[in-house]
Amino acid sequence: GNSVTQMEGPVTLSEEAFLTINCTYTATGYPSLFWYVQYPGEGLQLLLKATKADDKGSNKGFEATYRKETTSFHLEKGSVQVSDSAVYFCALSDGLGMRFGAGTRLTVKP
Amino acid sequence: DAGVIQSPRHEVTEMGQEVTLRCKPISGHNSLFWYRQTMMRGLELLIYFNNNVPIDDSGMPEDRFSAKMPNASFSTLKIQPSEPRDSAVYFCASRIIGTATDTQYFGPGTRLTVL
């Protein structure tokens, strides 16, 4: 069945470092792809999304490009801040439901 | 705009007691999801409804768990009897069926502790 695999954490970076969190997917058809972020004590919030191949989702300095040829949707940010510390979830929606990755915990130190 | 509303935010109960978690989806959304999140198992889909009808409950762990959606603006997840292994954060999410992106919007969660 359809699934998402994302980079295991935790990831610890210094402020202003470059961030990449890898995400690959297995799916039949053309799913929509998402990144959600969960701050401590809160629910998941949509960070960005892409609905078709070569689409780039972006928000708050984060970007991810839907790559069909590599079945990937890696999350990147050029310069992380302490406030970006959270758990990040990659997900796909195939019309039947949403499937989430295991989550990657990011800690950014000043 | 009000997002998904869940209550209570925190629940502490003793083993064997009945627990009821509540969710109000975003107005106009016609699909609702219940998830459970634990450190060991991550985020698990328990059940989802389309137009108040349960579509897939294969994620419900066992008969102690039940969920209802009596109308478009309210859903409950009940655990009876509760056990310590049910301790987790339970999230409700809603969406509009048939939109291009199928984006789900999550509530803040209910943190359940069963002693």
Side-chain angles (χ1 to χ4, degrees):
Chain A
N2 296 345
S3 65
V4 168
T5 302
Q6 67 180 98
M7 169 179 168
E8 288 193 18
V11 174
T12 302
L13 296 173
S14 297
E15 205 164 24
E16 299 184 2
F18 184 86
L19 168 71
T20 299
I21 301 178
N22 289 340
C23 172
T24 57
Y25 68 91
T26 301
T28 56
Y30 304 95
S32 296
L33 300 174
F34 305 80
W35 278 100
Y36 280 81
V37 58
Q38 184 179 28
Y39 298 103
E42 299 183 12
L44 278 69
Q45 301 175 25
L46 178 66
L47 180 59
L48 53 84
K49 62 191 178 190
T51 60
K52 61 182 185 298
D54 300 325
D55 267 3
K56 177 186 284 188
S58 61
N59 185 27
K60 300 181 181 180
F62 290 89
E63 292 183 342
T65 302
Y66 191 144
R67 301 283 189 202
K68 196 169 190 306
E69 63 275 15
T70 54
T71 62
S72 65
F73 192 56
H74 304 322
L75 182 68
E76 297 182 337
K77 186 174 185 180
S79 176
V80 293
Q81 306 300 311
V82 172
S83 57
D84 294 327
S85 298
V87 181
Y88 293 81
F89 292 88
C90 185
L92 69 79
S93 176
D94 56 9
L96 299 177
M98 186 164 280
R99 307 182 195 281
F100 288 88
T104 302
R105 181 175 299 277
L106 170 67
T107 301
V108 181
K109 297 188 173 181
Chain B
D1 289 343
V4 175
I5 299 172
Q6 291 187 246
S7 64
R9 292 295 310 276
H10 302 274
E11 177 81 31
V12 180
T13 191
E14 293 187 346
M15 183 173 64
Q17 296 298 305
E18 178 180 295
V19 175
T20 300
L21 311 181
R22 298 173 176 78
C23 175
K24 177 179 170 55
I26 293 172
S27 178
H29 284 198
N30 51 9
S31 186
L32 183 142
F33 301 76
W34 282 101
Y35 292 89
R36 178 172 68 176
Q37 186 179 40
T38 61
M39 289 293 293
M40 291 296 293
R41 302 173 70 94
L43 196 63
E44 304 173 275
L45 176 64
L46 300 178
I47 185 172
Y48 78 93
F49 298 81
N50 283 350
N51 296 312
N52 312 339
V53 176
I55 302 301
D56 183 358
D57 65 354
S58 59
M60 296 285 263
E62 48 198 273
D63 291 346
R64 298 183 297 106
F65 285 69
S66 63
K68 293 182 180 179
M69 192 164 187
N71 58 61
S73 59
F74 183 66
S75 177
T76 59
L77 177 67
K78 184 177 293 186
I79 308 173
Q80 167 63 20
S82 58
E83 298 183 2
R85 60 193 168 120
D86 302 330
S87 297
V89 182
Y90 291 81
F91 290 103
C92 177
S94 69
R95 68 169 183 176
I96 301 173
I97 304 168
T99 53
T101 59
D102 287 338
T103 303
Q104 293 186 20
Y105 296 87
F106 282 74
T110 295
R111 181 174 295 278
L112 173 65
T113 303
V114 183
L115 302 174

